């Protein structure tokens, strides 16, 4: 009576091991999904949310991809894109019209792009890929998106206006100084050029002491400065 019992026990053990082997996950049939841990962008940018996967089985029509979003403030995740033979981007809601499918499943790519990123898009994006019979392994991966305000850039027109108001006064001052230095010299050279060696000036002829041409030089310089000031006033009045 003991031999049949031993045979029955051995058979039960074999059946139990076979059953456990059938239910145990196969180490070969697995899938791994990978995404960058963090992505940074500026407001208004088009952001690429990369998602790649490796599977022991070739992608078929049964393969699915789900993208979900969890806001930075917390709350349950919200699925906004589903792929099954074709992509179904959102048409309404927070991401309505702003999601484009960029993936190529045959190459292990399930990426998407987010158009016109806003500060409200800050949060965690999750990519989930299923490719039966590969249902084990790391089927999900997370990416934290951080959108910051765009830094204002200096336009060329602003630089041109700034240079105009800096360089123009400097040029005017330089011309005025050159005019003050050249005007007396020019008057002195002209007076010498028209006088003969024996010519006597009006002051010398009548013996008037202290008479010079300072008055004439002053009039020349004053006229020169007045013309320069009027030119600067005209340029500033015509500048928008």
């Amino acid at each position: 009576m003991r031999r049949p019992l031993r045979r029955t026990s051995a058979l039960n053990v074999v059946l139990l091991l076979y059953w456990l082997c059938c239910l145990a996950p196969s180490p070969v049939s697995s899938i791994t999904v990978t995404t960058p841990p963090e992505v940074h962008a500026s407001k208004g940018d088009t952001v690429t949310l990369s998602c790649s996967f490796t599977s022991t089985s070739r992608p078929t029509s049964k393969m699915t991809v789900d993208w979900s979003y969890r806001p930075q403030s917390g709350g349950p995740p919200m699925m906004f894109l589903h792929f099954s033979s074709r992509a179904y981007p959102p048409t309404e809601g927070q991401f309505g019209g702003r999601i484009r499918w960029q993936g190529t499943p045959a190459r292990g790519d399930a990426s998407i792009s987010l158009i016109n990123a806003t500060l409200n898009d800050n949060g965690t994006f999750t990519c989930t890929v299923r490719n039966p019979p590969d249902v084990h392994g790391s089927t999900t991966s997370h990416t934290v998106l951080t959108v910051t305000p765009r830094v204002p850039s200096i336009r060329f027109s602003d630089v041109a206006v700034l240079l105009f108001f800096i360089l123009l006064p400097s040029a005017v001052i330089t011309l005025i100084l050159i005019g003050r230095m050249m005007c007396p010299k020019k008057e002195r050279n002209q007076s010498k050029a028209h006088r003969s060696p024996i010519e006597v000036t009006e002051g010398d002829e009548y013996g008037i002491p202290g008479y010079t041409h300072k008055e004439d030089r002053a009039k020349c310089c004053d006229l020169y400065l007045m013309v320069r000031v009027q030119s600067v006033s005209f340029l500033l009045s015509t500048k928008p």
Side-chain angles (χ1 to χ4, degrees):
M1 295 296 293
R2 293 181 179 178
R3 290 181 179 179
L5 291 176
R6 291 179 179 178
R7 291 178 181 179
T8 303
S9 300
L11 181 60
N12 291 335
V13 171
V14 172
L15 292 175
L16 180 61
L17 293 175
Y18 177 79
W19 183 72
L20 292 175
C21 290
C22 291
L23 293 180
S26 174
V28 178
S29 298
S30 62
I31 187 171
T32 302
V33 180
T34 305
T35 60
E38 294 181 358
V39 173
H40 296 269
S42 298
K43 182 180 179 181
D45 289 347
T46 297
V47 185
T48 299
L49 300 174
S50 303
C51 178
S52 60
F53 65 92
T54 55
S55 178
T56 56
S57 299
R58 188 174 182 178
T60 62
S61 59
K62 296 181 179 180
M63 189 204 75
T64 61
V65 178
D66 293 321
W67 275 93
S68 60
Y69 166 75
R70 186 173 183 268
Q72 191 176 28
S73 58
M78 173 191 66
M79 188 181 70
F80 61 87
L81 181 139
H82 176 73
F83 178 90
S84 180
S85 298
R86 61 180 296 264
Y88 297 91
T91 57
E92 57 184 11
Q94 179 179 350
F95 302 107
R98 298 197 296 130
I99 298 295
R100 289 182 182 176
W101 172 257
Q102 303 289 347
T104 306
R107 299 180 180 178
D109 187 7
S111 303
I112 61 173
S113 61
L114 174 63
I115 303 172
N116 191 19
T118 65
L119 300 181
N120 294 329
D121 297 333
N122 287 334
T124 302
F125 290 79
T126 302
C127 177
T128 303
V129 181
R130 299 180 181 87
N131 185 35
D134 293 354
V135 294
H136 305 289
S138 178
T139 59
T140 62
S141 187
H142 309 280
T143 296
V144 177
L145 174 63
T146 302
V147 181
T148 56
R150 183 179 295 276
V151 178
S153 57
I154 300 178
R155 297 175 298 177
F156 176 76
S157 59
D158 298 335
V159 177
V161 172
L162 183 62
L163 291 177
F164 176 81
F165 282 104
I166 292 178
L167 296 181
L168 182 61
S170 302
V172 171
I173 293 174
T174 303
L175 291 176
I176 291 175
L177 293 177
I178 294 176
R180 290 184 63 87
M181 291 186 296
M182 296 297 295
C183 187
K185 183 178 181 180
K186 182 177 180 180
E187 286 294 316
R188 189 163 52 251
N189 292 338
Q190 289 179 354
S191 62
K192 290 181 178 180
H194 291 84
R195 292 172 59 186
S196 64
I198 61 175
E199 183 179 358
V200 181
T201 62
E202 182 179 357
D204 296 335
E205 180 180 358
Y206 293 96
I208 302 175
Y211 177 81
T212 63
H213 293 280
K214 291 183 179 180
E215 291 82 3
D216 295 337
R217 291 198 297 269
K219 292 180 180 179
C220 175
C221 294
D222 293 340
L223 180 62
Y224 183 86
L225 294 176
M226 183 175 63
V227 172
R228 292 301 180 184
V229 171
Q230 291 178 353
S231 300
V232 174
S233 301
F234 175 77
L235 290 175
L236 294 178
S237 62
T238 57
K239 185 65 179 177

